[in-house]
Amino acid sequence: MAKKGYTDKTTIENYLLSEVDSTMDDQIDSWIEAMENHIDKETGRNFVADSAASERLYDGDGDREIFIDDCVEIEKVELDDEEIDYFAYPANETPKISIAREYGKFTRGRQNIAVTAKWGYSAAVPADIKFACTVLVAGIINNAADTGGEVKSMSMGEYSVTYKDAKQTSDFDNVKNILANYRRMTD
């Protein structure tokens, strides 16, 4: 998997108020990718929408509305291989999380609804998700380097993170709240 762009080395350096040696660039990219994947897994979302539409299949359940994965734009909806009219919700914001029919229902069936869309939460990474990824990678960098001073270490999944002061520790606590607020509710 490739990095999605939730943060970058310059942003992390600005957060840490120190420069990271360029010999660490590949390692930092790897940590960024790992934290992007962690954030996606923790929230059940992908925060950068695809640039091209693709098709996903859903089961019809006999209702007028079905929930779909987060998307920023729907190109078409097909029911039993026939294109249909639909309404996407929420109506005036993204991501779209459901589609509904005005008349009729989504017939019962396995993978009988094809939705072609640009999948993802938003066109650009939300600022608080960028902040969260930055804080997480900064903690990994602090853990890898001997930063000295007051140090508080914690675990984030399979990674250890270290924060050198109360502000960074507080930021880590904020990250947990940010991710909890974005957590996608599942059926």
Side-chain angles (χ1 to χ4, degrees):
M1 260 191 161
K3 289 188 317 174
K4 300 169 185 142
Y6 291 9
T7 193
D8 55 47
K9 181 181 175 187
T10 301
T11 305
I12 294 164
E13 288 174 331
N14 290 341
Y15 177 79
L16 291 171
L17 298 176
S18 64
E19 197 171 313
V20 179
D21 190 274
S22 63
T23 60
M24 293 294 294
D25 286 357
D26 288 342
Q27 184 60 61
I28 289 172
D29 286 346
S30 175
W31 287 333
I32 290 171
E33 182 180 349
M35 290 303 97
E36 289 171 341
N37 292 336
H38 174 76
I39 288 168
D40 288 358
K41 183 178 177 187
E42 194 69 24
T43 61
R45 299 182 185 280
N46 170 25
F47 289 95
V48 178
D50 301 332
S51 58
S54 61
E55 181 180 276
R56 293 191 183 177
L57 299 174
Y58 296 90
D59 295 342
D61 60 4
D63 284 336
R64 292 181 98 135
E65 181 178 21
I66 63 163
F67 287 92
I68 59 173
D69 298 318
D70 294 342
C71 66
V72 295
E73 180 182 317
I74 300 174
E75 289 189 1
K76 71 178 176 176
V77 176
E78 294 175 293
L79 176 62
D80 298 322
D81 296 321
E82 190 174 312
E83 195 165 344
I84 62 167
D85 292 328
Y86 63 91
F87 293 95
Y89 293 98
N92 298 310
E93 57 188 73
T94 55
K96 304 298 183 195
I97 61 169
S98 70
I99 53 175
R101 299 192 69 190
E102 183 171 12
Y103 306 107
K105 297 179 179 181
F106 290 102
T107 56
R108 290 186 182 279
R110 298 276 182 204
Q111 300 179 3
N112 64 329
I113 303 165
V115 179
T116 302
K118 291 183 181 176
W119 303 103
Y121 184 85
S122 59
V125 179
D128 50 354
I129 293 297
K130 182 173 185 167
F131 173 77
C133 194
T134 300
V135 169
L136 293 174
V137 177
I140 294 171
I141 290 170
N142 281 340
N143 189 63
D146 185 8
T147 57
E150 265 186 60
V151 173
K152 183 171 181 180
S153 294
M154 297 162 255
S155 291
M156 176 59 80
E158 62 187 65
Y159 294 91
S160 292
V161 295
T162 301
Y163 296 101
K164 63 182 180 177
D165 57 35
K167 181 198 175 309
Q168 287 184 358
T169 302
S170 175
D171 287 347
F172 178 75
D173 290 334
N174 287 337
V175 165
K176 292 188 275 185
N177 291 330
I178 289 167
L179 298 183
N181 288 335
Y182 277 101
R183 193 164 286 124
R184 183 177 167 104
M185 300 298 164
T186 57
D187 301 333

